[in-house]
Amino acid sequence: MKKFLKKATCLVMAAMMLSSSSVAHAKDNLPGDLNGDGKINSSDALEILEIAVGAKEAEEGILTYGDINVDGVINSVDALLVLQKSVGLDINIASIKISQGDTTVDVGAKLKVNIVSYSPIICDNNEIVWSSSNTAVATVDQDGNVETVGMGQAVITAAARVGSAKASFSLNVGVKATSVSLNKSSFSFSQGNSYFLVPTVLPENAYNKKVTWSSSNPDVASVEIDGRITGHKIGKTTITCKTSDGSNKTASCEITINAMSIPYVSQLPKYPTGCEAASCCMLLKYYKFNVTIDEMVEAIPRKNLYRKNGKTYGPDINEMFVGDPRCYYTSDTPGYGVFSPAVTKSLQKVIDQKGGGYKAVKISGCTFQELLGHISNGQPAIVWATYKMKTPTEKNAWYIEGTDKYFSYPRGTHVMILSGFSDSEVVTVDPYDNGVLNFSKSTFEDRWNLLGKQAIVLEKV
């Protein structure tokens, strides 16, 4: 800083001693000639310094001939350069800016590259020399005209003839894509699953084989930059890839997203009220566990209703199956059901017996959108609703033993697998010998809410 201040002070003193009175500016002044007298001298240096320190207001257009080092401002550095020029010191090019950055073009393409600026603008030796690092790929004349003649890479450079200043850009030369195709023109898969589309860009020697991806309906299926497609809900969409080299070649694939395919297990005829066990069995089979409905029924603790002092008593439905799953509601020893807390524990017990690897997760109480989110992620869910989404008219009821608390819940409660959804419907797998059944979203949500928003999914551990 002390050295700079000393230099600036000397500059001011020298300029004041040598300066003559300023003349009117002209808009076509030569670089460095601020007073318009056709010369570069100490008067110009002094005027630049006065502008730099705010003692004088800069006139319009002064940057074009007063910004000597082309940094966008008028300052003491510019004044020092003008003073050096006025006393006969040689000034060489310090930096060069050109109009072209790194680029990729076809064979045969022509480019005109311009010198945007060089600094300082009052150089004595301001000749620019153009060159190509690989004339078998591209040539350049001394006016900056570039012509590509072969495939490969070349570096085009503009260099000062005197000194080391230069600017360059990398030029990749090749051929553009003539076509792009995909390994599939159409296919379908399940919600929550993923599939890769593979593009083939021709010709083989195309210099840029990158593509961009898009989905006409990303809510149904989205696509990532590597061509990975993920199904989110039932429906159709078109996946399109487009070449990135400017040739704008495209290829498309029609995608159909279906509900998850659940291995079917019927509760009938052996377990007319064993829908919970059958649904657990289906969910476990989906995750490749070898389990039978008998094993699942055995894993869920149960206890029959009984009469005492004129009242009907039974266990807590959140802790065990109420009644006998081999019996109907109207049997002498009726089977009623069991809720998600007990089922989650029993499900985990069987998973652990079969080798583990998954965790049974009770998501009861989640929002309907959160429930659907699990389906979108490829997690079928055990859900509680009503048989064929009917509106219950009666209730099952008893006193919970040990508490004497009266408990009731809708008759016709049913447990099933939720395996998919679209904009308007849900897809369920009903173990009561009904297989796959579709219901409106709103109806299903209402019945699911009625049964306390109960649901269970499996998560890999």
Side-chain angles (χ1 to χ4, degrees):
M1 178 61 74
K2 290 181 179 179
K3 185 177 181 181
F4 178 82
L5 291 174
K6 182 177 181 181
K7 184 180 290 186
T9 302
C10 292
L11 171 62
V12 173
M13 292 176 65
M16 291 179 66
M17 289 187 292
L18 298 173
S19 65
S20 59
S21 60
S22 297
V23 298
H25 291 178
K27 289 189 177 180
D28 58 352
N29 288 40
L30 294 173
D33 178 19
L34 265 71
N35 61 15
D37 63 359
K39 302 176 183 178
I40 299 176
N41 52 38
S42 58
S43 295
D44 301 306
L46 178 59
E47 189 159 349
I48 289 177
L49 191 59
E50 288 175 332
I51 294 171
V53 299
K56 193 168 190 177
E57 185 175 348
E59 295 188 5
E60 181 182 357
I62 197 172
L63 277 178
T64 61
Y65 52 85
D67 181 15
I68 309 303
N69 65 349
V70 198
D71 63 356
V73 294
I74 303 293
N75 54 33
S76 58
V77 176
D78 301 309
L80 181 59
L81 287 167
V82 169
L83 189 59
Q84 288 174 336
K85 178 76 171 181
S86 71
V87 297
L89 295 177
D90 285 341
I91 299 178
N92 296 326
I93 294 178
S95 65
I96 302 170
K97 291 182 180 179
I98 58 177
S99 61
Q100 182 65 56
D102 294 349
T103 188
T104 303
V105 296
D106 291 335
V107 174
K110 296 181 180 181
L111 302 173
K112 177 65 173 78
V113 186
N114 298 311
I115 301 296
V116 174
S117 65
Y118 59 82
S119 171
I121 58 175
I122 56 174
C123 297
D124 296 289
N125 303 300
N126 59 2
E127 185 179 356
I128 304 295
V129 179
W130 291 89
S131 65
S132 169
S133 67
N134 190 344
T135 55
V137 172
T139 61
V140 59
D141 65 19
Q142 293 310 302
D143 292 320
N145 296 303
V146 179
E147 183 173 355
T148 59
V149 294
M151 292 178 59
Q153 185 179 67
V155 176
I156 306 300
T157 300
R161 182 174 291 280
V162 177
S164 59
K166 64 181 179 179
S168 61
F169 70 95
S170 179
L171 182 63
N172 293 302
V173 182
V175 294
K176 287 185 178 180
T178 57
S179 67
V180 60
S181 60
L182 294 171
N183 58 320
K184 294 277 188 180
S185 59
S186 65
F187 72 101
S188 61
F189 62 99
S190 301
Q191 272 183 279
N193 290 327
S194 295
Y195 187 89
F196 280 95
L197 280 175
V198 181
T200 299
V201 177
L202 295 176
E204 287 294 334
N205 62 347
Y207 66 79
N208 183 351
K209 292 191 174 184
K210 293 181 179 180
V211 297
T212 58
W213 297 91
S214 62
S215 171
S216 64
N217 193 341
D219 288 339
V220 169
S222 59
V223 60
E224 298 176 34
I225 59 174
D226 58 356
R228 180 188 180 96
I229 306 164
T230 301
H232 301 298
K233 67 180 178 183
I234 297 168
K236 294 180 181 294
T237 187
T238 300
I239 303 297
T240 300
C241 73
K242 181 180 178 181
T243 53
S244 300
D245 63 355
S247 61
N248 296 324
K249 304 300 180 182
T250 62
S252 298
C253 180
E254 300 298 320
I255 304 295
T256 301
I257 304 300
N258 301 315
M260 288 171 278
S261 180
I262 308 297
Y264 190 68
V265 175
S266 176
Q267 66 191 85
L268 297 180
K270 194 171 183 180
Y271 301 106
T273 52
C275 54
E276 299 90 349
S279 294
C280 287
C281 194
M282 287 192 287
L283 186 64
L284 289 173
K285 284 181 177 292
Y286 177 80
Y287 287 99
K288 310 302 182 184
F289 286 96
N290 183 17
V291 62
T292 67
I293 189 172
D294 293 334
E295 289 177 298
M296 202 64 236
V297 167
E298 182 66 25
I300 300 174
R302 67 180 184 88
K303 187 173 184 179
N304 288 340
L305 297 176
Y306 59 91
R307 297 282 296 177
K308 181 180 179 181
N309 299 326
K311 295 180 179 179
T312 300
Y313 287 88
D316 186 338
I317 199 170
N318 291 294
E319 296 178 0
M320 60 180 63
F321 189 96
V322 179
D324 190 337
R326 295 169 298 179
C327 301
Y328 290 91
Y329 288 140
T330 55
S331 301
D332 292 336
T333 54
Y336 284 157
V338 58
F339 282 175
S340 58
V343 173
T344 304
K345 292 179 182 178
S346 300
L347 194 55
Q348 189 64 56
K349 177 181 177 181
V350 173
I351 289 171
D352 293 341
Q353 289 173 347
K354 297 292 182 177
Y358 286 88
K359 179 181 180 181
V361 179
K362 179 173 67 69
I363 59 171
S364 301
C366 68
T367 67
F368 187 57
Q369 288 304 313
E370 288 171 338
L371 175 63
L372 297 184
H374 284 280
I375 308 304
S376 286
N377 290 333
Q379 295 175 287
I382 300 172
V383 291
W384 276 251
T386 61
Y387 181 69
K388 291 188 175 181
M389 304 303 129
K390 294 180 179 179
T391 303
T393 58
E394 298 181 54
K395 291 186 176 182
N396 298 315
W398 61 90
Y399 289 91
I400 298 175
E401 58 185 358
T403 66
D404 222 29
K405 179 182 177 181
Y406 190 70
F407 173 79
S408 66
Y409 76 106
R411 176 167 289 191
T413 293
H414 196 40
V415 179
M416 64 211 74
I417 298 291
L418 180 61
S419 63
F421 69 90
S422 65
D423 285 333
S424 59
E425 292 187 325
V426 297
V427 180
T428 66
V429 186
D430 183 347
Y432 200 78
D433 249 8
N434 290 313
V436 176
L437 296 177
N438 291 23
F439 301 101
S440 78
K441 264 185 175 179
S442 58
T443 299
F444 174 83
E445 183 180 6
D446 179 76
R447 304 302 185 266
W448 180 68
N449 286 338
L450 181 67
L451 268 296
K453 301 181 178 181
Q454 297 188 76
I456 302 170
V457 297
L458 296 192
E459 292 182 355
K460 195 169 182 61
V461 295

